[in-house]
């Protein structure tokens, strides 16, 4: 009886797993060529050393996964073509991108904005009272 129950539960679990995998293939949104070029720009300039995407990367510059929800394409284009001084260094700046690189990075961030993140990155909680640092 225990073996029969085990086999039944195992087959049911495998069937559920197979269904989830098969249905998730339909969810993949293909990246445009311009978004792929933006990812290559992201990698070429090693942006991940300071910034994060989906929680992976450096924590100095913040998470840029959903930056298009906060900034317009014009604001990003202006930032990429006329980069400001990085605050802690006062002399070091972001690399100024060409017009083509700027459009590619904007397309990449626009693509990232379409991926459901389920609330990532988590927002910091504000502590009230107690021992705040």
């Amino acid at each position: 009886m225990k073996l029969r129950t085990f086999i039944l539960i195992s087959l049911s679990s495998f069937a559920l797993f197979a269904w989830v995998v098969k249905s998730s293939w339909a969810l993949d949104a293909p990246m445009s060529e311009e978004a792929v070029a933006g990812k290559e720009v992201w990698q070429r300039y090693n942006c991940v050393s300071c910034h994060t995407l989906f929680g992976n990367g450096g924590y100095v510059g913040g998470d840029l996964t959903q930056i298009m929800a906060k900034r317009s394409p014009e604001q990003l284009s202006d930032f990429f073509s006329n980069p400001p001084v990085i605050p802690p260094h006062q002399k070091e700046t972001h690399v100024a991108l060409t017009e083509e690189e700027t459009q590619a990075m904007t397309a990449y961030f626009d693509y990232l904005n379409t991926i459901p993140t389920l609330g990532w990155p988590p927002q910091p909680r504000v502590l009230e009272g107690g021992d705040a640092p």
Side-chain angles (χ1 to χ4, degrees), residues 5-122:
T5 303
F6 173 76
I7 291 172
L8 181 63
I9 290 173
S10 297
L11 289 175
S12 300
S13 298
F14 180 75
L16 178 63
F17 173 75
W19 177 78
V20 167
V21 168
K22 185 177 185 318
S23 62
S24 68
W25 286 336
L27 298 176
D28 292 339
M31 286 179 75
S32 67
E33 288 183 29
E34 195 168 33
V36 171
K39 182 178 181 186
E40 290 170 358
V41 171
W42 171 270
Q43 292 170 337
R44 183 177 328 121
Y45 290 112
N46 196 23
C47 301
V48 74
S49 66
C50 294
H51 296 282
T52 60
L53 290 177
F54 302 106
N56 295 312
Y59 294 105
V60 176
D63 193 295
L64 299 179
T65 307
Q66 296 288 313
I67 194 67
M68 291 298 283
K70 300 173 188 171
R71 304 281 188 267
S72 70
E74 293 79 23
Q75 289 173 316
L76 286 180
S77 294
D78 184 49
F79 180 85
F80 291 141
S81 51
N82 302 312
V85 173
I86 299 173
H89 305 293
Q90 301 304 320
K91 291 183 180 178
E92 188 176 339
T93 62
H94 282 94
V95 176
L97 302 181
T98 65
E99 183 63 32
E100 183 178 296
E101 291 173 330
T102 298
Q103 290 175 354
M105 283 287 281
T106 305
Y108 180 52
F109 286 133
D110 193 36
Y111 171 76
L112 293 176
N113 199 45
T114 64
I115 299 172
T117 60
L118 304 175
W120 185 266

